[in-house]
Amino acid sequence: MPLNTRRHFLIGAASAMAMQRSLKAQSKPTTRLRFAVIGINHEHIFRMVKALRDGGGELAMIYDPYPDPTHGTQFLKENLSVKRARAEREVLNAPDIQLVVSAALPSKRAQLGIRTMRAGKDFLADKGGFLNLEDLEEARRVQAETKRIFAISYNERLLLPVSLKIDELLRAGAIGKVTHMWGYGPHGLYGHGPREPWFWLRAARGGILNDIGAHQADQFIHYLGADGARVLGSYAGNFENPDHTEFEDFGRVWFQSAGGTGESMLSYTKAKTTGFQLHLYGTEGRLEVFKSSGRISLVKPDGSRREFTVPSSTPCPWGTHLVDDILHRTETAMPQSHTFLASELAVRAHMVAVK
């Protein structure tokens, strides 16, 4: 069985079992592990915590070292009953905490993850997890030494229900062997409220390619394979935000692996976005995916089309997978090598970008 076909089969089987467990957990919640949050500087923390709770996790402690008046304030308000830690060390020393979750400033995530693994706990960061290769290599080394999990929430795939249908169609051979990916990731600048000052600074979050470009790198590896995956070239620029000279609101990146090629376009815009799009081209057709609406068009070489719509209420099993991995030391949510490689591609795209 070809590598990608076998991989999608295994992922699909694990997803089906995890979805069953997730539905059972929703009908009768059972705490399977306790986790803590350190850093609440991005709205993704709400989805990350929900996914873990759906998978049987209990939020048991919060430490907020970089108070955020928008997302942090709202998160704390919604979790008033959760214990507040007075320092990071209190969380890392807590014997009942198995996982630390963070949506802290992007520049703080890698070293926090390294400290967490050295403290004997697993770690989950919002994307992008890394701003430079030095932190990435240190995280790889510490992960190998400690055998802890360093996970990253690539939520444009992991937490969008339409991704489950994409995997199902690929496992069924709907478009044959995938040979090319085209991705478009438009993001609204102010869709989640005002941006904090750090958002515009290169030292705090890097650039567009190592940040939201990490989603595209994750998808490329997932659909085209990790073997020989590399960045062929990239571009980044600032077209709509001249008042923020360090900011990048547009980026493009080109990928290649033994499985095929990929290209992605990213943007931050003040206007209303069209939503995330993904096209997968195969030897027997293509998939056109409109992620925000959950729509998929399967187009065959003869021009015939089949349409699918995935309800946004469809449960995503990723949180259950990750809880399983923490409890059983498995890799059903995502192989550790995939997590790091997606980040490496994103960072390398940032480093070599023509500007």
Side-chain angles (χ1 to χ4, degrees):
M1 183 180 293
L3 176 62
N4 281 359
T5 303
R6 173 176 170 79
R7 186 162 181 265
H8 281 111
F9 174 81
L10 294 174
I11 290 172
S15 295
M17 290 187 292
M19 286 181 69
Q20 292 176 359
R21 289 192 295 267
S22 179
L23 290 172
K24 290 179 181 178
Q26 291 174 23
S27 60
K28 186 178 180 181
T30 300
T31 297
R32 300 200 291 152
L33 65 76
R34 290 162 64 85
F35 67 94
V37 164
I38 298 180
I40 316 167
N41 295 93
H42 198 291
E43 60 89 21
H44 286 165
I45 192 66
F46 294 93
R47 281 178 272 176
M48 294 160 68
V49 167
K50 182 182 185 303
L52 291 168
R53 282 172 164 162
D54 289 346
E58 177 191 350
L59 177 57
M61 193 178 296
I62 299 172
Y63 176 54
D64 188 19
Y66 318 104
D68 182 296
T70 304
H71 310 303
T73 299
Q74 183 62 31
F75 185 83
L76 294 174
K77 182 179 179 181
E78 292 182 10
N79 294 279
L80 289 174
S81 63
V82 179
K83 179 181 178 180
R84 302 294 193 266
R86 292 162 294 182
E88 177 184 302
R89 182 50 52 184
E90 183 179 351
V91 176
L92 298 186
N93 286 342
D96 61 326
I97 298 297
Q98 295 167 270
L99 170 71
V100 172
V101 182
S102 182
L105 303 180
S107 60
K108 306 293 184 181
R109 293 170 191 168
Q111 287 299 320
L112 172 60
I114 290 167
R115 293 193 298 273
T116 297
M117 291 189 292
R118 284 180 170 149
K121 303 183 188 303
D122 296 314
F123 182 68
L124 168 63
D126 185 22
K127 66 80 210 131
F130 299 91
L131 270 61
N132 57 70
L133 293 179
E134 291 76 18
D135 280 347
L136 176 59
E137 289 310 309
E138 184 179 2
R140 276 179 162 143
R141 184 173 65 254
V142 173
Q143 190 281 323
E145 292 170 357
T146 63
K147 307 303 180 185
R148 307 318 301 176
I149 295 170
F150 192 119
I152 294 178
S153 174
Y154 299 113
N155 60 76
E156 282 185 24
R157 179 174 65 86
L158 299 173
L159 291 177
L160 286 181
V162 71
S163 300
L164 303 176
K165 187 63 178 181
I166 296 172
D167 284 347
E168 178 187 319
L169 291 169
L170 294 180
R171 288 195 306 273
I175 61 171
K177 180 183 181 296
V178 181
T179 59
H180 183 72
M181 180 194 93
W182 176 84
Y184 177 41
H187 288 64
L189 267 177
Y190 302 108
H192 302 292
R195 298 289 186 174
E196 296 305 312
W198 63 264
F199 176 79
W200 309 101
L201 303 178
R202 185 175 295 270
R205 62 177 291 275
I208 192 170
L209 294 169
N210 68 269
D211 184 17
I212 58 177
H215 291 304
Q216 302 296 323
D218 161 64
Q219 292 173 86
F220 177 75
I221 295 169
H222 182 70
Y223 297 123
L224 276 299
D227 186 20
R230 64 191 181 108
V231 173
L232 293 178
S234 57
Y235 170 84
N238 182 351
F239 295 96
E240 295 187 6
N241 297 274
D243 293 340
H244 300 286
T245 57
E246 295 184 17
F247 187 66
E248 296 168 354
D249 56 27
F250 182 83
R252 293 193 72 178
V253 57
W254 293 266
F255 302 108
Q256 183 182 50
S257 74
T261 55
E263 58 180 309
S264 297
M265 184 166 64
L266 310 158
S267 67
Y268 278 107
T269 178
K270 298 174 184 177
K272 184 177 180 179
T273 71
T274 57
F276 305 143
Q277 297 180 42
L278 174 71
H279 290 191
L280 295 173
Y281 298 83
T283 55
E284 299 176 28
R286 70 180 185 272
L287 295 180
E288 299 175 354
V289 184
F290 300 87
K291 291 191 171 186
S292 299
S293 60
R295 292 189 296 115
I296 302 175
S297 295
L298 167 59
V299 185
K300 301 299 284 186
D302 62 4
S304 62
R305 304 175 73 97
R306 289 183 62 192
E307 305 293 333
F308 306 88
T309 300
V310 181
S312 60
S313 59
T314 303
C316 290
W318 172 71
T320 301
H321 285 328
L322 185 55
V323 172
D324 286 345
D325 291 343
I326 292 167
L327 295 176
H328 307 301
R329 312 318 296 171
T330 50
E331 290 190 331
T332 60
M334 180 181 290
Q336 185 65 71
S337 59
H338 178 135
T339 301
F340 284 144
L341 180 58
S343 289
E344 179 182 341
L345 293 180
V347 172
R348 289 191 182 279
H350 169 69
M351 291 172 58
V352 303
V354 175
K355 300 177 182 179

